[in-house]
């Protein structure tokens, strides 16, 4: 039985829905191993069409092609891949070497696709290269070789898998006559080792060196001339068969993607830069949110006793308690009037002092987890409250009684005030004495004006107050603090009645503070100025975060489109390479894998670059903010960095799926014709 047998082969190319072009007409041919067959014929006579069908690149034919007894037309996808990998080798007129791979990598490509280990791969390739006189050129890129050398590399690539059949479509078409002869010598040798070589040629001189000349005209065989001599098989060069049933490994796919990316380094750096902008925005956004949150938490914990919640009266709570309201009744629905506004606006709220009623105090006491209620007084004035020291008058804005809500960190020098003592702010102390701490122990006169009543008394300065880096407005104002008892004594001495207007609610446990604050707000009470300000600040931050998220989303989208475009371009650029990979037994899956690896790498590099730039910007930004405000505001955590890289990789790979599929679906014949 002949090794390759073609029976009643017909091939039609579809032209329109109803029309077909009859390219191969009833072809019957048989070939044996060891033959060197030349197919000759006019241009357009169907030579390439026949080669593509025989090579298993084109399966849309009628008739039977039996290879070693097996019917090519009935191969499963797996069998076809095996056929390409083990049975057949291609040599093309235009060489079709992969330009970004070295000579060695071009020759080993088929074995890489079969996941043959590196040592075996290279040993085998070097053996073939040496045989073809290319031993010294294995590191070169195809562009550094002459035409004859390129074709010899292509022959090496076809031979390295030790196929039974070599299909060569005009292998000497692009070579001068001297190099043609060298290449033909090699091809003749190949046939002598017992392989079937089928070669398309235009040249009679080339054809004359073959053992059989088949002439094709207008798709039909018109002449079949057997010129075989009784020559012995010399078997000059023989490779051992090896088991190859594995597929392209992920590592190899990534390495191939890397080699290609290295070739287009400049472009890939630009893509990574573009892609990194989105990731950078995401990371900076997260870092800013985290930084501000850290800052707020730190500040709160530092300056505010976590057990304490502040409550202030508002117009709303005053109405609700049903007291002193002539125009409105208690059961009237609560309007969102100025009182509501006041509750949410620290500036307005501070200027109001509404005293607590007994009802209010009971209501506060009923809030779950409140252990104790401490009543206090605070007032806010512009110019009417003063401290007199050594005949100089120092106005201040904020008067208050101290409570457990102050912490030791608020005391810069000295101690909390006790009976008949006051705490004054650092700036006030500095106005009175060169060194703020020297004011401790000095006696000052405090003069207050409350609702038209004047109060005054002499007190000893116990300490210097600082707001630290609290965000509360108190930090910005000159303040005087004393104990509630001292304040009550002061009102009694001055014959004035003043009700407490501030309540400190002690929680049983710090974990209850949040629910107490929420309950206070639900009941309509105002919180501490610090809480209110922090809430406002958080709201602002939320808006800012939304804007940043928008920017980040847009830039991520843009980079996805960019990666998509670039990979599409890459598919077009690499069409020929894809054709070669398919011809030597690369599966669609392998090609997809190579392209997806490339998008994975682009995503990885973009992500890493994004982290790098974000870290740099955060570093610079933090230095700037630190100089201005003594704190840092951009906190990049490893989790955010990881998230950034993951997002980048995922987006990039999603963008890469479409081009990768396009590449995988390319028709190998079209792809090989592409240049
Ligand atoms: P050769 O290699 O002998 O020059 P081809 O095998 O390339 O010839 O082409 C044989 C004939 O088939 C030509 O007339 C050509 O126009 C036609 N042909 C080749 N490829 C296609 C195709 N994809 N669709 C339609 N017709 C085709
Ligand atoms: Mg042709």
């Amino acid at each position: 039985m002949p090794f390759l047998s073609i029976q009643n082969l017909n091939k039609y190319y579809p032209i329109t829905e109803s029309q077909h072009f009859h390219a191969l007409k009833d072809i019957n041919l048989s070939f044996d191993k060891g033959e060197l067959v030349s197919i000759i014929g006019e241009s357009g006579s169907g030579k390439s069409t026949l080669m593509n069908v025989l090579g298993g690149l084109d399966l849309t034919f009628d008739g039977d092609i039996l290879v070693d007894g097996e019917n090519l037309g009935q191969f499963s996808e797996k069998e076809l891949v095996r056929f390409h990998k083990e049975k057949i080798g291609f040599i093309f007129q235009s060489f079709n070497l992969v330009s970004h791979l070295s000579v060695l990598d071009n020759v080993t490509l088929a074995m890489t696709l079969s996941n043959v280990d590196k040592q075996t791969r290279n040993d085998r390739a070097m053996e073939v290269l040496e045989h073809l006189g290319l031993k010294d050129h294995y590191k070169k890129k195809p562009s550094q070789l002459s035409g004859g050398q390129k074709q010899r590399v292509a022959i090496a690539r076809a031979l390295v898998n030790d196929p039974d059949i070599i299909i060569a479509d005009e292998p000497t078409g692009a070579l001068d006559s001297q190099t043609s002869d060298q290449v033909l010598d090699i091809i003749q040798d190949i046939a002598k080792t017992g392989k079937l070589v089928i070669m398309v040629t235009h040249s009679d001189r080339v054809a004359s060196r073959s053992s059989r000349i088949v002439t094709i005209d207008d798709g039909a065989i018109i002449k079949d001339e057997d010129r075989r001599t009784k020559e012995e098989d010399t078997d000059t060069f023989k490779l051992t068969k090896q088991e190859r049933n594995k597929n392209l490994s992920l590592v190899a796919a990534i390495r191939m993607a890397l080699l290609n990316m290295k070739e287009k380094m400049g472009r890939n750096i630009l893509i990574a830069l573009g892609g990194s902008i989105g990731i950078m925005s995401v990371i900076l956004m997260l870092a800013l949110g985290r930084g501000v949150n850290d800052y707020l938490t730190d500040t709160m914990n530092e300056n505010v006793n976590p057990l304490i919640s502040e409550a202030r009266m508002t117009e709303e709570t005053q109405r609700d308690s049903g007291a002193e309201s002539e125009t409105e009744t208690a059961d009237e629905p609560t309007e969102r009037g100025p009182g509501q506004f006041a509750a949410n606006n620290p500036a307005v709220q501070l200027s109001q002092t509404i005293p607590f009623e007994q009802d209010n105090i009971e209501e506060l006491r009923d809030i779950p987890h409140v252990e104790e209620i401490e009543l206090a007084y605070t007032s806010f004035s512009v110019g009417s409250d003063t401290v007199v020291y050594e005949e100089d008058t120092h106005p201040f804005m904020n008067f208050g009684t101290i409570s457990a809500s102050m912490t030791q960190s608020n005391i810069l020098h000295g101690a909390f005030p006790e009976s008949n003592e006051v705490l004054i702010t650092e700036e006030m102390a500095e106005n009175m004495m060169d060194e703020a701490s020297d004011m401790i122990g000095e006696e000052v006169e405090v003069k207050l004006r409350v609702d038209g009543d004047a109060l005054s008394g002499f007190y000893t300065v116990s300490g210097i107050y600082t707001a630290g880096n609290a965000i509360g407005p108190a930090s910005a104002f000159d303040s005087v603090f004393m104990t509630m008892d001292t304040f009550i004594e002061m009102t009694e001495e001055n014959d004035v009645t003043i009700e407490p207007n501030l309540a400190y609610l002690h929680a049983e446990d710090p974990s209850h503070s949040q629910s107490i604050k929420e309950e206070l707000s639900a009941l309509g009470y105002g919180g501490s100025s610090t809480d209110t300000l922090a809430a406002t600040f958080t709201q602002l931050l939320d808006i800012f975060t939304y804007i940043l998220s928008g920017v980040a989303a847009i830039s991520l989208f843009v980079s996805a489109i960019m990666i998509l475009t670039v990979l599409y371009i890459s598919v077009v650029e690499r069409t020929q390479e894809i054709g070669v990979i398919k011809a030597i037994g690369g599966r669609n899956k392998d090609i997809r894998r190579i392209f997806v690896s490339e998008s994975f790498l682009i995503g990885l590099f973009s992500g890493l670059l994004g982290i790098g730039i974000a870290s740099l910007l955060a570093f610079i930004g933090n230095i700037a903010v630190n100089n201005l405000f003594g704190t840092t505001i951009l906190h990049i955590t490893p989790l955010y960095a990881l998230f950034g890289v993951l997002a980048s990789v995922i987006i990039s790979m999603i963008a890469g799926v479409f081009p990768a599929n396009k590449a995988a679906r390319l028709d190998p014949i079209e792809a090989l014709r592409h240049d």
Side-chain angles (χ1 to χ4, degrees), residues 305-321:
N305 185 329
L307 278 172
I308 306 289
S309 306
E310 274 184 57
R312 288 164 201 268
M313 290 295 287
T314 64
E315 281 181 25
E316 190 185 341
T317 50
Q318 191 182 27
R319 268 200 306 272
D320 283 352
S321 66

Side-chain angles (χ1 to χ4, degrees), residues 1 100 140 158 161 169 198 244 273 353 358 365 367 372 395-396 405 560 562 569 618-620 651:
M1 195 170 71
H100 63 262
K140 287 187 181 172
N161 271 347
D169 195 345
I198 305 175
R244 268 189 309 274
L273 256 178
T353 57
Q358 197 51 43
R365 198 157 274 147
I367 294 176
E372 188 195 334
F396 65 94
S405 80
M562 192 178 61
I569 294 172
F619 181 70
I620 296 169
I651 288 172

Side-chain angles (χ1 to χ4, degrees), residues 509-526:
D509 185 273
S511 62
H512 294 133
S513 291
Q514 190 55 35
S515 69
I516 292 176
K517 286 192 172 103
E518 280 162 13
E519 182 65 15
L520 279 175
S521 153
L523 290 170
Y525 291 94

Side-chain angles (χ1 to χ4, degrees), residues 298-578:
D298 285 357
T299 312
M300 301 276 180
N301 291 344
E302 194 177 307
N303 294 286
V304 174
N305 185 329
L307 278 172
I308 306 289
S309 306
E310 274 184 57
R312 288 164 201 268
M313 290 295 287
T314 64
E315 281 181 25
E316 190 185 341
T317 50
Q318 191 182 27
R319 268 200 306 272
D320 283 352
S321 66
E324 293 170 22
S325 178
E326 283 164 10
T327 52
E328 291 162 326
T329 55
D331 47 27
E332 204 171 85
T334 312
E335 321 168 358
R336 298 222 146 223
Q340 181 70 27
F341 176 67
N344 292 330
N345 188 313
V348 179
Q349 181 189 26
L350 276 178
S351 65
Q352 292 187 341
T353 57
I354 305 170
F356 277 92
E357 300 287 328
Q358 197 51 43
D359 286 355
N360 294 113
I361 294 166
E362 273 158 26
E363 185 176 41
L364 294 178
R365 198 157 274 147
D366 287 343
I367 294 176
H369 306 299
V370 171
E371 196 171 60
E372 188 195 334
I373 292 181
E374 192 187 347
L375 291 170
Y377 178 80
T378 184
S379 74
F380 191 75
S381 78
V382 184
S384 59
D385 294 347
T386 55
V387 172
V388 180
Y389 174 66
E390 289 184 343
E391 281 156 31
D392 284 333
T393 299
H394 302 272
F396 65 94
M397 297 181 99
N398 181 37
F399 172 81
T401 59
I402 63 153
S403 77
S405 80
M406 286 177 168
T407 63
Q408 192 58 47
S409 67
N410 295 118
I411 308 296
L412 192 62
H413 306 288
F416 277 111
E418 291 181 3
S419 187
N420 286 317
E421 288 183 335
V422 287
L423 195 61
I424 61 174
T425 47
E426 192 182 6
E427 207 156 306
M428 290 179 75
E430 278 170 354
N431 286 337
M432 298 170 188
M433 198 80 99
D434 286 342
E435 278 291 324
S437 56
D438 291 346
M439 276 309 290
I440 294 167
E442 296 293 307
E443 191 179 59
V444 295
E445 185 184 11
V446 175
K447 293 180 166 181
L448 303 176
R449 183 166 283 278
V450 179
D451 296 333
D453 297 317
L455 297 91
S456 69
F458 288 89
Y459 303 96
T460 309
V461 175
S462 71
I464 309 298
Y465 175 85
T466 175
N469 48 2
I471 349 157
S475 61
F477 305 123
D478 292 339
S479 311
V480 171
F481 300 98
M482 59 175 64
T483 62
M484 189 65 187
D485 289 345
T486 305
F487 179 60
I488 291 170
E489 275 171 35
M490 187 187 195
T491 58
E492 283 166 358
E493 279 162 18
N494 288 276
D495 276 331
V496 179
T497 357
I498 292 174
E499 297 295 330
N501 60 6
L502 188 63
Y504 293 108
L505 281 65
H506 292 237
E508 289 161 6
D509 185 273
S511 62
H512 294 133
S513 291
Q514 190 55 35
S515 69
I516 292 176
K517 286 192 172 103
E518 280 162 13
E519 182 65 15
L520 279 175
S521 153
L523 290 170
Y525 291 94
S528 82
S529 49
T530 313
D531 286 350
T532 321
L533 212 79
T536 316
F537 206 62
T538 312
Q539 265 173 11
L540 273 176
L541 187 76
D542 280 349
I543 295 171
F544 199 59
T545 310
Y546 288 135
I547 296 173
L548 268 179
S549 313
V551 172
I554 291 170
S555 35
L556 284 183
F557 185 68
V558 170
S559 35
I561 296 207
M562 192 178 61
I563 289 169
L564 191 79
T565 315
V566 168
L567 283 175
Y568 266 126
I569 294 172
S570 180
V571 171
V572 173
E573 284 174 347
R574 297 168 72 184
T575 300
Q576 217 181 33
E577 175 187 348
I578 294 164

